[in-house]
Amino acid sequence: MSEPGAASRALELLEAVARIGPGATARELSRTTGIPAATAYRLLNVLVADGYLVRISDLSGFALGRRTRELAGAAQGQPQLAEVVAGIRGRVRFGLFVADWPAGALRLVDRDPDHELPGERTLLAHPHASAMGKIMLAAHPELVPDRPRTLTRHTLTAAPVLAEELRTVARAGVATEVDELRSGRSSVAVAVRDAEGRVVGCLAALGPTGRLPVTDPDLTALLSAGADRIGRLTGAREPGQRGRRT
């Protein structure tokens, strides 16, 4: 295959991953683009090696990599999210992730390259059990599932208990999870707000239960400062402005 032809097909694969979302498999990508499976698999490996794609933690599919997101940020003329988050990552020992929900479903927009995220599909599918998902559900109660699934013995599924938890999250702009989504893992997430104080995303730290202190005020303050900076990338509120609209 000629180099221009390979480049064109690689771009097709990137576009297909962006459309399908995290977890797109080589078979799905081959079928969607019409690229032969052997060629698609070879190009996907090249894109992963070059940082344009990443394999999700359970190796079942692909997601957009840091270099692709950096290109997208540059094309929009905005400060690069990756640079801001990288600065925060240098100050924590845990995985740091950024999420939003443009279509009413949780989406990871920046993954920590140094920390795997086992169970990513479960996290995205069951937001009631994660700190990131609780931020989304507190801002959009209409998205709370009618029958939340029990994932561990610590998962909050009783409607009154979950509702009270989400009211607390809405007031504080901070959510936590301890062994609720996955045994042995904890997380704390802080809301990212736009210029009018609406919650549009979140910044979360994930780590082993017992090592990640979900109630540590210093960690929460660091994440809050990071959420302020992330919010300003899209023209969000000035630092310290605590809008309550959701």
Side-chain angles (χ1 to χ4, degrees), residues 170-184:
R171 289 192 298 269
V174 178
T176 63
E177 66 176 278
V178 179
D179 299 333
E180 294 178 49
L181 183 79
R182 190 179 182 90
S183 296

Side-chain angles (χ1 to χ4, degrees), residues 135 138 165-175 189-191 193 199 220 224 242-244:
I135 295 287
E165 173 92 350
L166 295 179
R167 284 192 290 268
T168 299
V169 171
R171 289 192 298 269
V174 178
V190 173
R193 299 178 184 270
V199 178
T220 301
S224 296
R242 298 290 176 183
R244 289 289 302 278

Side-chain angles (χ1 to χ4, degrees), residues 5 11 44 47 80 107 117 131 135 156 165 167 190 229-230:
L11 289 174
L44 289 168
L47 290 168
Q80 294 179 6
R107 177 184 72 165
L117 185 57
I135 295 287
L156 301 182
E165 173 92 350
R167 284 192 290 268
V190 173
R229 295 185 63 194
I230 292 169

Side-chain angles (χ1 to χ4, degrees), residues 53-144:
L53 291 177
V54 294
R55 291 184 180 275
I56 63 174
S57 58
D58 61 6
L59 303 181
S60 63
F62 300 87
L64 296 179
R66 173 170 293 180
R67 293 187 70 180
T68 303
R69 296 193 298 273
E70 288 175 351
L71 286 173
Q76 295 170 5
Q78 298 176 348
Q80 294 179 6
L81 172 65
E83 292 183 1
V84 173
V85 180
I88 306 168
R89 285 189 177 120
R91 302 178 61 187
V92 298
R93 297 175 292 129
F94 312 104
L96 210 64
F97 298 82
V98 181
D100 66 3
W101 39 89
L106 198 64
R107 177 184 72 165
L108 294 177
V109 295
D110 192 281
R111 295 170 174 76
D112 196 315
D114 299 319
H115 293 266
E116 291 189 358
L117 185 57
E120 179 176 326
R121 285 191 172 185
T122 303
L123 184 152
L124 298 179
H126 303 287
H128 66 283
S130 72
M132 287 185 277
K134 289 177 187 178
I135 295 287
M136 178 185 76
L137 297 179
H140 297 282
E142 71 278 7
L143 298 178
V144 176

Side-chain angles (χ1 to χ4, degrees), residues 1 6 15 25 30 53 56 59 69 79 83 85 145 164 200 224 226 232 234 238:
M1 183 188 303
E15 291 173 354
T25 66
S30 173
L53 291 177
I56 63 174
L59 303 181
R69 296 193 298 273
E83 292 183 1
V85 180
E164 179 59 31
V200 295
S224 296
R232 292 200 299 275
T234 55
E238 294 300 315

Side-chain angles (χ1 to χ4, degrees), residues 210-233:
R211 291 178 54 194
L212 190 153
V214 296
T215 59
D216 181 1
D218 291 335
L219 177 58
T220 301
L222 178 62
L223 293 176
S224 296
D228 282 333
R229 295 185 63 194
I230 292 169
R232 292 200 299 275
L233 295 183

